[in-house]
Amino acid sequence: MRDLSALPENAPLFSLRGLSFRYGRRVALRCDSLDIERGQAVALLGPNGSGKTTFLKVLNGLLGPYDGTLRFLGRSPGPALRLRSVYLHQHPVLFTGTVRDNLARALSFRRVPRGEAAGRVQAAIDRVGCASLMDREASRLSGGETQRVALARALALGADILFLDEPTSSMDAASQNAVRSVLAELKSEGVTLIFSTHDQELADALADTRILFDAGRAMPHPHGGNHDTSR
Amino acid sequence: MDALGQALSLLATGDTETWWTVGTTIRFALWSTLFSALPGVPLGAVLYLGRFRGKRALAAAINASMAVPTVVIGLFVYSFISRSGPLGFLNIMYEPAGVILGQSLLALPLAAAMTHTGLQKMDPRYAETLLTLGAGFWRRLLAILREGRFVVVQAVLASFGRVTGEVGVSMMLGGNIRWHTRTMTTTIALDASKGEFERALSLGVVLLAVALTVNALSHLAARDA
């Protein structure tokens, strides 16, 4: 799943030109020009309602249509992007059943054989430190546990690209640290991480690139340095 | 009051014809609910999940067809299954199968519309999550119906309630034939026209009980959702 070699070598992972998205008449997102390279960790920073979630959803194909150009490896985003990426909501939803059922069902969506799926489910849940939750009903998990299980579900799928909407927002300090270290590992494995956050530590620890959002306008951070996310 | 007393007595003493009529009505309603829900519920889910040209027009047409009077549905089906109609060879006119066909067509738009509007009230993150996890269309459809099972229960109950209480289709396609196609509503219409209110009232009581039960179950499903 993590082999991108068949796709154009030189093209940016994502290339946006004159992109804008509207909810009705209201422009919710504008981006003049932006490239995101493969393997990067990109932090989306800005106040609530500034367009970070919309940006993630447009990139992942959950929102559309949009004006302007969005290219994935030089092409229109299509099934290739869908199969290589997962979007995690700020408050993810899990389906009816146990945690194990949730992970196994996600793998069945991508037609992973059952024999292989069991191992991937276990490895993913171990990785986020939630092995003890494996047979718990998903509906009984706390917000932080749900976020970690949803992350495990994405990991089990082996996605190249993760879109994460405030991935540590509902977690206690210990869980935040655990998730930060998992994301750091993923980054070192070449997974592209595009995440919105108000968590300065997370941005400092992971981000290669920062994109600032203000009233729907996305602007690459001029210096890539620290940025006050507490607004 | 006398008539009501006699009506309740018909029910309490297990009057054969009264209870046969109740049983026939329920049997027809169960089959037609099944045959309307089988295409109607998935159709509602397709309207919810699908992105296709004409989706709004289709949803509007389905909503509009809920308002078609039962006798018009009856007339429409009659033109197909009567002896001279294109489906006349099936010989289902004035047969239970004819009534069930008409009732199924009557309830189909209700099952579809209620599923569609019910799913629209669900948290949109379910559909987004299924999409981002890479589920194909039909897997998303099955999964969303599983998560929205209370919506499905409500749609099915509403369809059942609709066909149990209709009279136009049963009258036109069943012919109100005693011990064959006579239902609660057609019996009420016939007996009341003859001025014989005892059985009509007893069946009215049963219809009321069915309606209240369906309503209570529907509320339970909504609460659990």
Side-chain angles (χ1 to χ4, degrees):
Chain A
M1 195 59 119
R2 294 204 175 137
D3 178 18
L4 290 173
S5 57
L7 291 159
E9 198 57 42
N10 300 324
L13 190 65
F14 291 103
S15 179
L16 292 73
R17 298 287 180 271
L19 188 89
S20 70
F21 177 81
R22 296 164 188 269
Y23 287 112
R25 289 185 176 183
R26 185 174 70 85
V27 177
L29 178 68
R30 284 173 298 168
C31 180
D32 294 334
S33 178
L34 181 70
D35 289 333
I36 295 173
E37 302 297 336
R38 60 186 87 186
Q40 276 192 329
V42 181
L44 314 181
L45 308 171
N48 290 333
S50 60
K52 304 187 294 295
T53 299
T54 303
F55 180 84
L56 286 170
K57 287 188 173 182
V58 168
L59 235 57
N60 187 233
L62 292 175
L63 282 180
Y66 48 78
D67 293 322
T69 306
L70 169 61
R71 288 275 180 266
F72 170 63
L73 293 168
R75 300 172 188 171
S76 289
L81 171 62
R82 177 68 60 231
L83 291 174
R84 291 172 183 278
S85 68
V86 174
Y87 169 83
L88 264 75
H89 291 91
Q90 180 181 359
H91 302 291
V93 290
L94 299 175
F95 298 111
T96 306
T98 63
V99 167
R100 188 192 303 276
D101 294 337
N102 266 271
L103 271 65
R105 199 173 325 155
L107 287 164
S108 77
F109 290 154
R110 300 204 182 188
R111 300 177 191 281
V112 175
R114 277 192 185 180
E116 185 188 337
R120 283 168 68 167
V121 165
Q122 190 64 54
I125 206 77
D126 286 344
R127 196 164 185 184
V128 299
C130 290
S132 61
L133 303 178
M134 193 69 124
D135 293 310
R136 283 259 296 274
E137 278 299 315
S139 59
R140 297 185 183 277
L141 301 181
S142 70
E145 287 169 340
T146 302
Q147 273 190 309
R148 289 170 75 173
V149 170
L151 178 60
R153 188 168 60 182
L155 297 181
L157 294 175
D160 298 298
I161 306 155
L162 291 182
F163 299 98
L164 307 152
D165 195 354
E166 305 202 21
T168 56
S169 62
S170 303
M171 294 176 183
D172 57 28
S175 298
Q176 283 184 357
N177 286 333
V179 167
R180 273 187 210 125
S181 63
V182 170
L183 294 179
E185 281 174 24
L186 290 170
K187 182 185 170 188
S188 69
E189 291 168 14
V191 175
T192 304
L193 303 172
I194 304 173
F195 59 98
S196 67
T197 189
H198 295 283
D199 179 350
Q200 188 67 53
E201 273 188 64
L202 183 67
D204 289 344
L206 286 180
D208 302 307
T209 304
R210 291 154 198 261
I211 301 173
L212 308 183
F213 286 78
D214 185 26
R217 181 171 285 280
M219 298 159 289
H221 192 286
H223 309 299
N226 287 348
H227 175 70
D228 180 11
T229 62
S230 61
R231 284 196 294 163
Chain B
M1 285 307 284
D2 252 11
L4 183 61
Q6 287 174 28
L8 294 175
S9 159
L10 278 178
L11 292 173
T13 56
D15 176 70
T16 311
E17 186 166 357
T18 303
W19 283 108
W20 181 90
T21 308
V22 171
T24 301
T25 307
I26 301 293
R27 185 162 54 92
F28 288 179
L30 285 173
W31 280 113
S32 51
T33 301
L34 177 70
F35 291 134
S36 63
L38 279 177
V41 168
L43 177 59
V46 167
L47 278 175
Y48 172 66
L49 288 175
R51 294 179 184 177
F52 54 89
R53 195 182 292 255
K55 176 175 157 171
R56 280 190 181 183
L58 180 59
I62 287 171
N63 283 329
S65 59
M66 282 195 298
V68 175
T70 57
V71 286
V72 175
I73 304 272
L75 190 63
F76 176 75
V77 178
Y78 185 100
S79 68
F80 275 84
I81 66 172
S82 62
R83 210 167 275 274
S84 57
L87 298 177
F89 65 91
L90 292 174
N91 288 322
I92 56 173
M93 190 69 205
Y94 302 131
E95 293 291 333
V99 179
I100 291 167
L101 173 64
Q103 289 185 340
S104 302
L105 290 175
L106 175 71
L108 195 154
L110 183 66
M114 282 204 62
T115 304
H116 181 214
T117 51
L119 292 177
Q120 280 180 317
K121 289 176 192 163
M122 267 178 73
D123 190 330
R125 289 176 298 170
Y126 282 106
E128 288 180 350
T129 301
L130 288 166
L131 195 60
T132 193
L133 292 177
F137 184 80
W138 297 109
R139 283 172 186 261
R140 277 190 287 141
L141 188 139
L142 287 176
I144 208 74
L145 287 177
R146 183 177 170 177
E147 295 306 316
R149 57 195 172 281
F150 299 109
V151 168
V152 175
V153 168
Q154 283 191 308
V156 168
L157 284 170
S159 302
F160 182 81
R162 175 83 167 119
V163 295
T164 307
E166 70 80 26
V167 62
V169 167
S170 300
M171 192 67 91
M172 290 198 74
L173 303 177
N176 199 17
I177 301 170
R178 195 179 185 198
W179 302 112
H180 192 50
T181 55
R182 187 165 287 180
T183 63
M184 286 195 273
T185 51
T186 58
T187 306
I188 290 170
L190 179 71
D191 286 5
S193 70
K194 292 192 296 184
E196 296 170 4
F197 291 103
E198 294 81 8
R199 179 164 289 124
L201 271 173
S202 68
L203 293 173
V205 168
V206 176
L207 268 181
L208 197 63
V210 169
L212 289 173
T213 306
V214 166
N215 206 278
L217 291 173
S218 188
H219 272 91
L220 276 178
R223 193 192 61 183
D224 288 348

